[in-house]
Amino acid sequence: MPYNILLEIDTRSEVPLWRQLYEALAKALADGKVEAGSRLPSIRSLSSELGVSRSPVESAYLQLQIDGLIESKPKSGYFAAEAQGGRARSVLPERANAQDTRAMYDFRPGRV
């Protein structure tokens, strides 16, 4: 990748691949390692580079787009979103323990 980021994924981790990619890319965007307006690798090329299927990359990009960190331009690809203050905002929850994967909310029926 032509950016100052290194995406490391652990295929043996309990954390889904798309979430690992999402968190790594969101952190890189928030830290300014990817400049606003920069073109991101295509889903196909990033999945090939990482040796994973396109599905987790597509899911990570979709969530980044929903969170406003990247933009999709038809027939052009994905780009780092323009951010206020020159940097992308972080949407990652602050965790006391980075290994803590418990859900923040309980959406099971019958629970308040």
Side-chain angles (χ1 to χ4, degrees), residues 6-108:
L6 176 62
L7 296 177
E8 293 185 24
I9 56 170
D10 181 2
T11 56
R12 296 175 301 205
S13 173
E14 291 182 19
V15 178
L17 292 176
W18 77 267
R19 185 66 185 187
Q20 292 180 49
L21 289 169
Y22 169 84
E23 289 179 357
L25 289 168
K27 182 168 177 19
L29 290 162
D31 291 348
K33 292 181 179 176
V34 178
E35 293 183 27
S38 296
R39 187 173 192 273
L40 298 175
S42 70
I43 291 171
R44 183 173 289 153
S45 67
L46 184 56
S47 66
S48 175
E49 186 176 325
L50 295 174
V52 298
S53 70
R54 292 190 315 243
S55 182
V57 177
E58 187 172 11
S59 295
Y61 275 17
L62 180 60
Q63 190 62 50
L64 288 165
Q65 186 177 0
I66 289 169
D67 291 341
L69 297 175
I70 66 174
E71 300 170 340
S72 173
K73 296 181 181 177
K75 298 183 182 181
S76 295
Y78 290 92
F79 295 83
E82 298 291 333
Q84 297 175 358
R87 286 195 159 181
R89 62 183 172 83
S90 177
V91 295
L92 299 175
E94 294 296 325
R95 294 181 181 170
N97 179 359
Q99 298 300 321
D100 185 11
T101 58
R102 292 176 293 154
M104 294 177 63
Y105 303 101
D106 185 355
F107 289 107
R108 291 181 292 180

